[in-house]
Coordinates of all heavy atoms in Angstrom, one line a residue:
I17 N 43.0 -59.3 102.7 CA 41.8 -59.0 102.0 C 42.1 -58.6 100.6 O 43.1 -57.9 100.3 CB 41.1 -57.7 102.7 CG1 40.8 -58.1 104.1 CG2 39.8 -57.3 101.9 CD1 40.4 -56.9 105.0
V18 N 41.4 -59.1 99.6 CA 41.5 -58.8 98.2 C 40.6 -57.7 97.9 O 39.4 -57.7 98.3 CB 41.2 -60.0 97.3 CG1 41.1 -59.6 95.9 CG2 42.2 -61.1 97.6
E19 N 41.1 -56.6 97.3 CA 40.3 -55.4 97.0 C 40.3 -55.1 95.6 O 41.4 -55.0 95.0 CB 40.8 -54.2 97.9 CG 40.1 -52.9 97.6 CD 40.5 -51.8 98.5 OE1 41.6 -51.9 99.2 OE2 39.9 -50.8 98.5
G20 N 39.2 -54.9 95.0 CA 39.1 -54.4 93.6 C 39.5 -53.0 93.4 O 39.4 -52.2 94.4
D21 N 40.0 -52.6 92.3 CA 40.4 -51.2 92.0 C 39.1 -50.4 91.8 O 38.3 -50.7 90.9 CB 41.2 -51.1 90.8 CG 42.6 -51.6 90.9 OD1 43.1 -51.7 92.1 OD2 43.3 -51.9 89.9
A22 N 38.9 -49.4 92.7 CA 37.7 -48.6 92.6 C 37.7 -48.0 91.2 O 38.7 -47.5 90.7 CB 37.7 -47.5 93.6
G23 N 36.5 -48.0 90.5 CA 36.3 -47.5 89.2 C 36.7 -48.4 88.0 O 36.5 -48.0 86.9
E24 N 37.2 -49.6 88.3 CA 37.7 -50.5 87.3 C 36.8 -51.7 87.2 O 36.5 -52.3 88.2 CB 39.1 -50.9 87.5 CG 40.1 -49.8 87.4 CD 40.2 -49.2 86.0 OE1 40.1 -50.0 85.0 OE2 40.4 -48.0 85.9
P25 N 36.4 -52.1 86.0 CA 35.6 -53.4 85.9 C 36.4 -54.6 86.3 O 37.6 -54.7 86.0 CB 35.2 -53.4 84.4 CG 35.8 -52.3 83.8 CD 36.6 -51.5 84.7
L26 N 35.8 -55.5 87.0 CA 36.5 -56.7 87.4 C 35.6 -57.9 87.0 O 36.0 -58.8 86.3 CB 36.7 -56.8 88.9 CG 37.4 -58.0 89.4 CD1 38.8 -58.2 88.8 CD2 37.5 -58.0 90.9
I27 N 34.3 -57.9 87.4 CA 33.3 -58.9 87.1 C 32.3 -58.3 86.1 O 31.3 -57.7 86.5 CB 32.6 -59.4 88.3 CG1 33.7 -60.0 89.3 CG2 31.6 -60.5 88.0 CD1 33.1 -60.4 90.7
R28 N 32.6 -58.4 84.8 CA 31.7 -57.9 83.8 C 30.5 -58.8 83.5 O 29.4 -58.4 83.2 CB 32.4 -57.6 82.5 CG 33.5 -56.5 82.6 CD 34.2 -56.3 81.4 NE 35.4 -55.4 81.6 CZ 35.9 -54.6 80.7 NH1 35.3 -54.5 79.5 NH2 36.9 -53.9 81.0
R29 N 30.8 -60.1 83.6 CA 29.8 -61.1 83.4 C 29.9 -62.0 84.6 O 31.0 -62.1 85.3 CB 30.0 -62.0 82.2 CG 30.1 -61.2 80.9 CD 30.6 -62.1 79.7 NE 31.9 -62.7 80.1 CZ 32.2 -64.0 79.9 NH1 31.4 -64.8 79.3 NH2 33.4 -64.4 80.2
T30 N 28.9 -62.8 85.0 CA 28.9 -63.6 86.2 C 30.0 -64.6 86.1 O 30.6 -65.0 87.1 CB 27.6 -64.3 86.4 OG1 27.2 -65.1 85.3 CG2 26.5 -63.3 86.7
D31 N 30.4 -65.1 84.9 CA 31.5 -66.0 84.7 C 32.9 -65.4 85.2 O 33.8 -66.2 85.5 CB 31.6 -66.5 83.3 CG 30.5 -67.5 82.9 OD1 29.8 -68.0 83.8 OD2 30.2 -67.7 81.7
D32 N 32.9 -64.1 85.2 CA 34.2 -63.4 85.5 C 34.4 -63.5 87.0 O 35.5 -63.1 87.5 CB 34.2 -62.0 85.1 CG 34.2 -61.8 83.6 OD1 34.6 -62.7 82.9 OD2 33.8 -60.7 83.2
T33 N 33.5 -64.1 87.8 CA 33.7 -64.2 89.2 C 35.0 -65.1 89.5 O 35.6 -64.9 90.5 CB 32.5 -64.9 89.9 OG1 31.3 -64.1 89.5 CG2 32.6 -65.0 91.4
A34 N 35.3 -65.9 88.5 CA 36.6 -66.7 88.7 C 37.8 -65.8 88.8 O 38.7 -66.2 89.5 CB 36.7 -67.6 87.4
R35 N 37.8 -64.6 88.3 CA 38.9 -63.7 88.4 C 39.1 -63.3 89.9 O 40.2 -63.3 90.4 CB 38.7 -62.4 87.6 CG 38.8 -62.7 86.1 CD 38.6 -61.5 85.3 NE 39.7 -60.6 85.4 CZ 39.7 -59.3 85.2 NH1 38.6 -58.7 84.8 NH2 40.8 -58.6 85.3
L36 N 38.0 -63.0 90.6 CA 38.0 -62.7 92.0 C 38.5 -63.9 92.8 O 39.3 -63.8 93.7 CB 36.7 -62.2 92.5 CG 36.6 -61.8 93.9 CD1 37.7 -60.7 94.3 CD2 35.2 -61.3 94.3
L37 N 37.9 -65.1 92.5 CA 38.3 -66.3 93.2 C 39.8 -66.6 93.0 O 40.5 -66.9 94.0 CB 37.5 -67.5 92.7 CG 36.0 -67.5 93.1 CD1 35.2 -68.6 92.4 CD2 35.9 -67.7 94.6
E38 N 40.3 -66.4 91.8 CA 41.7 -66.7 91.6 C 42.6 -65.7 92.5 O 43.6 -66.1 93.0 CB 42.1 -66.5 90.1 CG 41.5 -67.6 89.3 CD 41.6 -67.3 87.8 OE1 42.3 -66.3 87.4 OE2 41.1 -68.1 87.0
A39 N 42.2 -64.4 92.5 CA 42.9 -63.5 93.3 C 42.9 -63.9 94.8 O 43.9 -63.8 95.5 CB 42.3 -62.1 93.1
C40 N 41.7 -64.3 95.3 CA 41.6 -64.8 96.7 C 42.5 -66.0 96.9 O 43.2 -66.0 98.0 CB 40.1 -65.1 97.0 SG 39.1 -63.6 97.2
F41 N 42.4 -67.0 96.0 CA 43.3 -68.2 96.2 C 44.7 -67.8 96.2 O 45.5 -68.3 97.1 CB 43.0 -69.2 95.1 CG 41.6 -69.7 95.0 CD1 41.1 -70.2 93.8 CD2 40.8 -69.8 96.1 CE1 39.8 -70.7 93.7 CE2 39.5 -70.2 96.0 CZ 39.0 -70.7 94.8

């Protein structure tokens, strides 16, 4: 499971979803 850091921005704009996808890949 990929987990974001609580309290930290990860997806600031919808285009940033790629960051989460990259982490999952």
Side-chain angles (χ1 to χ4, degrees):
I17 301 168
V18 171
E19 181 177 8
D21 288 340
E24 295 295 321
L26 178 64
I27 302 173
R28 293 176 191 213
R29 302 170 306 136
T30 57
D31 290 344
D32 293 339
T33 306
R35 295 179 69 199
L36 179 59
L37 288 170
E38 289 169 7
C40 288
F41 297 154

